Amino acid sequence: MNFLYDVLGVPFGYVMRLIYSLVQNYGVAIILFTIFSKLLLFPINYKTQKSSAKMQRLNPKLKALRQKYQKDPQKLQEAQMALYQEEGVNPGASCLPMFLQFFLLFGILAVVYKPLTHVLGYSGDVIDNVVNMVIDQFPDIAQKFKGGDLREELYVMEAFRQDPGLFNVAGFDNGEVGAFLDNFKFLGIDLGVTPNIKDVSNFGLWCIPFVSGILQLVMTIYSQVVNKKRNPDQPNMGCMNIMLYGMPIFSIWFAFNVPAGVGFYWACSSLVSLLIQIGLNRYFTPERVEEICEKDNKKNKAKYANGKKSFTQRMMEAQNQVNAANTSLRDADTDSMSKKEKSQYESQRIKEARRRMAEKYGEEYSDDE
């Protein structure tokens, strides 16, 4: 997992270093970096929201199909796939954008958690030597270190604040790090200090975890209200709701255990995400969704006019092949077969269905698969 942080953090690190070199303030740099990352992810958010809006448009028709075929799951599945094909909707279209967004978050978090690497540009060897020194010289901070912990550099900065004189590591510039920590602030709040829930003497520092959690909670509530409004028949998610509303509370507790810069980034990220979500929800009105669907349907008809099959069509054909195989299994005279013979017979029928699909699309198939 750390490999993803290291690799994806490099390009984002260059951006963060450039931003910091221009503003010379870590708090402002975090805000600008958050806006940059959200703009980078905006096309993905747009596609996800667009796909969701198109699916919501079909809810009345899907509800009617569920009522019509409530006793025949196979017919229901076939009817749903036919509806998706007719309306030009891919039910799995939002999966890839969400995966890409999740993938890119590794790089964004790496920049936030590793400022010495991505802002000051220290090498991995120097960081490792500094970490070992901190573990030897600062027993109280050494307790926080765990193997592969992404927050190692934040703990190093915490130790540096306690006693810069102990930092005598080749390649580690105490003056540069000290100057960086002097700029590690926002509105006078030192973002390198870990908030203490029992200490309200620095009220701004103390508030950061709560602001972060509250903004996440507001975003969760807003998303739930919008989804419920657009999908009134959506069942109560039960345990899922507990997790959705519990995560902001957990993040408050977690933000009291890490330097304030992390909680500050979470707060900025939640605020920008909330504004983007509100904007997209206001943009995708029912009228605009109808226009988008009409345009997409025209494009799809032109795209697949030469006989090329869409993803939904391939899914329908694959499902039909499986259904045909299942029907053959039901129709076959298996009553006189032993348990082993039935198992071999069913396995053979499945292999035949897979082989037919492979031949249809010019793919290779082996029974060993």
mmCIF file of all heavy atoms in Angstrom, residues 15-38:
data_model
loop_
_atom_site.group_PDB
_atom_site.id
_atom_site.type_symbol
_atom_site.label_atom_id
_atom_site.label_comp_id
_atom_site.label_asym_id
_atom_site.label_seq_id
_atom_site.Cartn_x
_atom_site.Cartn_y
_atom_site.Cartn_z
ATOM 1 N N VAL A 15 3.403 19.618 -7.503
ATOM 2 C CA VAL A 15 2.399 20.687 -7.495
ATOM 3 C C VAL A 15 2.397 21.401 -6.144
ATOM 4 O O VAL A 15 2.401 22.637 -6.071
ATOM 5 C CB VAL A 15 0.997 20.106 -7.792
ATOM 6 C CG1 VAL A 15 -0.072 21.189 -7.642
ATOM 7 C CG2 VAL A 15 0.952 19.501 -9.183
ATOM 8 N N MET A 16 2.412 20.614 -5.048
ATOM 9 C CA MET A 16 2.402 21.205 -3.717
ATOM 10 C C MET A 16 3.664 22.037 -3.476
ATOM 11 O O MET A 16 3.604 23.126 -2.887
ATOM 12 C CB MET A 16 2.291 20.087 -2.680
ATOM 13 C CG MET A 16 2.221 20.591 -1.236
ATOM 14 S SD MET A 16 0.755 21.609 -0.961
ATOM 15 C CE MET A 16 0.816 21.789 0.824
ATOM 16 N N ARG A 17 4.816 21.555 -3.936
ATOM 17 C CA ARG A 17 6.071 22.288 -3.758
ATOM 18 C C ARG A 17 6.022 23.612 -4.515
ATOM 19 O O ARG A 17 6.492 24.640 -4.023
ATOM 20 C CB ARG A 17 7.239 21.435 -4.246
ATOM 21 C CG ARG A 17 8.619 21.938 -3.807
ATOM 22 C CD ARG A 17 9.702 20.997 -4.290
ATOM 23 N NE ARG A 17 9.415 19.613 -3.928
ATOM 24 C CZ ARG A 17 10.090 18.567 -4.374
ATOM 25 N NH1 ARG A 17 11.096 18.742 -5.219
ATOM 26 N NH2 ARG A 17 9.766 17.345 -3.999
ATOM 27 N N LEU A 18 5.453 23.591 -5.725
ATOM 28 C CA LEU A 18 5.331 24.813 -6.507
ATOM 29 C C LEU A 18 4.413 25.814 -5.814
ATOM 30 O O LEU A 18 4.729 27.007 -5.719
ATOM 31 C CB LEU A 18 4.796 24.483 -7.903
ATOM 32 C CG LEU A 18 4.487 25.672 -8.816
ATOM 33 C CD1 LEU A 18 5.759 26.465 -9.089
ATOM 34 C CD2 LEU A 18 3.853 25.192 -10.110
ATOM 35 N N ILE A 19 3.275 25.319 -5.320
ATOM 36 C CA ILE A 19 2.326 26.207 -4.638
ATOM 37 C C ILE A 19 2.970 26.828 -3.403
ATOM 38 O O ILE A 19 2.867 28.039 -3.162
ATOM 39 C CB ILE A 19 1.044 25.434 -4.254
ATOM 40 C CG1 ILE A 19 0.279 25.010 -5.504
ATOM 41 C CG2 ILE A 19 0.145 26.291 -3.361
ATOM 42 C CD1 ILE A 19 -0.911 24.118 -5.229
ATOM 43 N N TYR A 20 3.657 26.002 -2.613
ATOM 44 C CA TYR A 20 4.282 26.519 -1.387
ATOM 45 C C TYR A 20 5.374 27.530 -1.711
ATOM 46 O O TYR A 20 5.533 28.534 -1.006
ATOM 47 C CB TYR A 20 4.857 25.371 -0.568
ATOM 48 C CG TYR A 20 5.542 25.845 0.707
ATOM 49 C CD1 TYR A 20 4.794 26.188 1.828
ATOM 50 C CD2 TYR A 20 6.933 25.977 0.758
ATOM 51 C CE1 TYR A 20 5.410 26.651 2.982
ATOM 52 C CE2 TYR A 20 7.557 26.436 1.914
ATOM 53 C CZ TYR A 20 6.786 26.768 3.018
ATOM 54 O OH TYR A 20 7.404 27.239 4.153
ATOM 55 N N SER A 21 6.133 27.297 -2.767
ATOM 56 C CA SER A 21 7.207 28.231 -3.137
ATOM 57 C C SER A 21 6.640 29.593 -3.522
ATOM 58 O O SER A 21 7.319 30.616 -3.383
ATOM 59 C CB SER A 21 8.024 27.654 -4.297
ATOM 60 O OG SER A 21 7.256 27.597 -5.486
ATOM 61 N N LEU A 22 5.383 29.624 -3.980
ATOM 62 C CA LEU A 22 4.762 30.886 -4.382
ATOM 63 C C LEU A 22 4.147 31.629 -3.204
ATOM 64 O O LEU A 22 4.239 32.870 -3.133
ATOM 65 C CB LEU A 22 3.679 30.614 -5.442
ATOM 66 C CG LEU A 22 4.165 30.067 -6.789
ATOM 67 C CD1 LEU A 22 2.984 29.731 -7.684
ATOM 68 C CD2 LEU A 22 5.080 31.061 -7.479
ATOM 69 N N VAL A 23 3.526 30.890 -2.265
ATOM 70 C CA VAL A 23 2.793 31.560 -1.177
ATOM 71 C C VAL A 23 3.568 31.593 0.138
ATOM 72 O O VAL A 23 3.283 32.418 1.008
ATOM 73 C CB VAL A 23 1.425 30.887 -0.956
ATOM 74 C CG1 VAL A 23 0.580 30.972 -2.218
ATOM 75 C CG2 VAL A 23 1.565 29.425 -0.524
ATOM 76 N N GLN A 24 4.528 30.664 0.317
ATOM 77 C CA GLN A 24 5.356 30.613 1.530
ATOM 78 C C GLN A 24 4.521 30.539 2.805
ATOM 79 O O GLN A 24 4.877 31.112 3.839
ATOM 80 C CB GLN A 24 6.294 31.823 1.587
ATOM 81 C CG GLN A 24 7.387 31.805 0.537
ATOM 82 C CD GLN A 24 8.349 30.623 0.704
ATOM 83 O OE1 GLN A 24 8.885 30.388 1.781
ATOM 84 N NE2 GLN A 24 8.549 29.876 -0.366
ATOM 85 N N ASN A 25 3.407 29.847 2.729
ATOM 86 C CA ASN A 25 2.567 29.614 3.908
ATOM 87 C C ASN A 25 1.875 28.267 3.720
ATOM 88 O O ASN A 25 1.154 28.084 2.725
ATOM 89 C CB ASN A 25 1.537 30.728 4.092
ATOM 90 C CG ASN A 25 0.663 30.516 5.318
ATOM 91 O OD1 ASN A 25 -0.289 29.743 5.293
ATOM 92 N ND2 ASN A 25 0.999 31.212 6.404
ATOM 93 N N TYR A 26 2.092 27.352 4.680
ATOM 94 C CA TYR A 26 1.602 25.996 4.489
ATOM 95 C C TYR A 26 0.074 25.935 4.506
ATOM 96 O O TYR A 26 -0.534 25.183 3.755
ATOM 97 C CB TYR A 26 2.173 25.077 5.571
ATOM 98 C CG TYR A 26 1.861 23.616 5.334
ATOM 99 C CD1 TYR A 26 2.532 22.886 4.357
ATOM 100 C CD2 TYR A 26 0.882 22.964 6.083
ATOM 101 C CE1 TYR A 26 2.238 21.560 4.127
ATOM 102 C CE2 TYR A 26 0.591 21.626 5.862
ATOM 103 C CZ TYR A 26 1.267 20.929 4.878
ATOM 104 O OH TYR A 26 0.979 19.614 4.651
ATOM 105 N N GLY A 27 -0.560 26.732 5.365
ATOM 106 C CA GLY A 27 -2.021 26.725 5.434
ATOM 107 C C GLY A 27 -2.653 27.162 4.125
ATOM 108 O O GLY A 27 -3.573 26.523 3.612
ATOM 109 N N VAL A 28 -2.140 28.263 3.551
ATOM 110 C CA VAL A 28 -2.646 28.743 2.266
ATOM 111 C C VAL A 28 -2.341 27.724 1.167
ATOM 112 O O VAL A 28 -3.168 27.476 0.279
ATOM 113 C CB VAL A 28 -2.032 30.112 1.926
ATOM 114 C CG1 VAL A 28 -2.483 30.566 0.547
ATOM 115 C CG2 VAL A 28 -2.414 31.147 2.971
ATOM 116 N N ALA A 29 -1.145 27.117 1.246
ATOM 117 C CA ALA A 29 -0.768 26.107 0.251
ATOM 118 C C ALA A 29 -1.723 24.918 0.300
ATOM 119 O O ALA A 29 -2.092 24.367 -0.745
ATOM 120 C CB ALA A 29 0.664 25.644 0.490
ATOM 121 N N ILE A 30 -2.137 24.511 1.510
ATOM 122 C CA ILE A 30 -3.094 23.400 1.653
ATOM 123 C C ILE A 30 -4.416 23.753 0.981
ATOM 124 O O ILE A 30 -5.025 22.928 0.278
ATOM 125 C CB ILE A 30 -3.317 23.073 3.141
ATOM 126 C CG1 ILE A 30 -2.172 22.227 3.688
ATOM 127 C CG2 ILE A 30 -4.631 22.337 3.356
ATOM 128 C CD1 ILE A 30 -2.168 20.791 3.207
ATOM 129 N N ILE A 31 -4.887 24.982 1.179
ATOM 130 C CA ILE A 31 -6.155 25.405 0.577
ATOM 131 C C ILE A 31 -6.063 25.363 -0.952
ATOM 132 O O ILE A 31 -6.941 24.812 -1.631
ATOM 133 C CB ILE A 31 -6.533 26.822 1.052
ATOM 134 C CG1 ILE A 31 -6.823 26.814 2.556
ATOM 135 C CG2 ILE A 31 -7.760 27.335 0.295
ATOM 136 C CD1 ILE A 31 -7.051 28.198 3.140
ATOM 137 N N LEU A 32 -4.995 25.931 -1.490
ATOM 138 C CA LEU A 32 -4.832 25.965 -2.942
ATOM 139 C C LEU A 32 -4.623 24.555 -3.507
ATOM 140 O O LEU A 32 -5.132 24.227 -4.596
ATOM 141 C CB LEU A 32 -3.647 26.864 -3.316
ATOM 142 C CG LEU A 32 -3.809 28.347 -2.967
ATOM 143 C CD1 LEU A 32 -2.551 29.125 -3.328
ATOM 144 C CD2 LEU A 32 -5.016 28.931 -3.682
ATOM 145 N N PHE A 33 -3.882 23.730 -2.775
ATOM 146 C CA PHE A 33 -3.665 22.352 -3.230
ATOM 147 C C PHE A 33 -4.975 21.570 -3.217
ATOM 148 O O PHE A 33 -5.236 20.761 -4.117
ATOM 149 C CB PHE A 33 -2.642 21.663 -2.329
ATOM 150 C CG PHE A 33 -2.399 20.222 -2.677
ATOM 151 C CD1 PHE A 33 -1.646 19.878 -3.784
ATOM 152 C CD2 PHE A 33 -2.932 19.207 -1.900
ATOM 153 C CE1 PHE A 33 -1.429 18.551 -4.119
ATOM 154 C CE2 PHE A 33 -2.724 17.877 -2.215
ATOM 155 C CZ PHE A 33 -1.971 17.546 -3.335
ATOM 156 N N THR A 34 -5.812 21.813 -2.212
ATOM 157 C CA THR A 34 -7.117 21.147 -2.144
ATOM 158 C C THR A 34 -7.987 21.535 -3.333
ATOM 159 O O THR A 34 -8.628 20.680 -3.960
ATOM 160 C CB THR A 34 -7.840 21.509 -0.831
ATOM 161 O OG1 THR A 34 -7.024 21.154 0.280
ATOM 162 C CG2 THR A 34 -9.169 20.789 -0.726
ATOM 163 N N ILE A 35 -8.008 22.833 -3.643
ATOM 164 C CA ILE A 35 -8.792 23.298 -4.796
ATOM 165 C C ILE A 35 -8.267 22.669 -6.083
ATOM 166 O O ILE A 35 -9.045 22.210 -6.935
ATOM 167 C CB ILE A 35 -8.744 24.836 -4.888
ATOM 168 C CG1 ILE A 35 -9.457 25.445 -3.672
ATOM 169 C CG2 ILE A 35 -9.386 25.323 -6.179
ATOM 170 C CD1 ILE A 35 -9.332 26.952 -3.582
ATOM 171 N N PHE A 36 -6.929 22.623 -6.222
ATOM 172 C CA PHE A 36 -6.333 22.002 -7.420
ATOM 173 C C PHE A 36 -6.740 20.537 -7.533
ATOM 174 O O PHE A 36 -7.138 20.074 -8.612
ATOM 175 C CB PHE A 36 -4.806 22.117 -7.355
ATOM 176 C CG PHE A 36 -4.096 21.214 -8.332
ATOM 177 C CD1 PHE A 36 -3.974 21.578 -9.662
ATOM 178 C CD2 PHE A 36 -3.564 19.997 -7.925
ATOM 179 C CE1 PHE A 36 -3.326 20.740 -10.571
ATOM 180 C CE2 PHE A 36 -2.921 19.158 -8.818
ATOM 181 C CZ PHE A 36 -2.809 19.533 -10.146
ATOM 182 N N SER A 37 -6.627 19.791 -6.442
ATOM 183 C CA SER A 37 -6.948 18.357 -6.483
ATOM 184 C C SER A 37 -8.419 18.124 -6.790
ATOM 185 O O SER A 37 -8.774 17.193 -7.521
ATOM 186 C CB SER A 37 -6.557 17.680 -5.165
ATOM 187 O OG SER A 37 -7.306 18.187 -4.079
ATOM 188 N N LYS A 38 -9.292 18.974 -6.256
ATOM 189 C CA LYS A 38 -10.724 18.814 -6.524
ATOM 190 C C LYS A 38 -11.057 19.157 -7.973
ATOM 191 O O LYS A 38 -11.934 18.525 -8.581
ATOM 192 C CB LYS A 38 -11.537 19.692 -5.569
ATOM 193 C CG LYS A 38 -11.443 19.273 -4.104
ATOM 194 C CD LYS A 38 -11.910 17.862 -3.875
ATOM 195 C CE LYS A 38 -11.795 17.442 -2.435
ATOM 196 N NZ LYS A 38 -12.209 16.030 -2.212
#
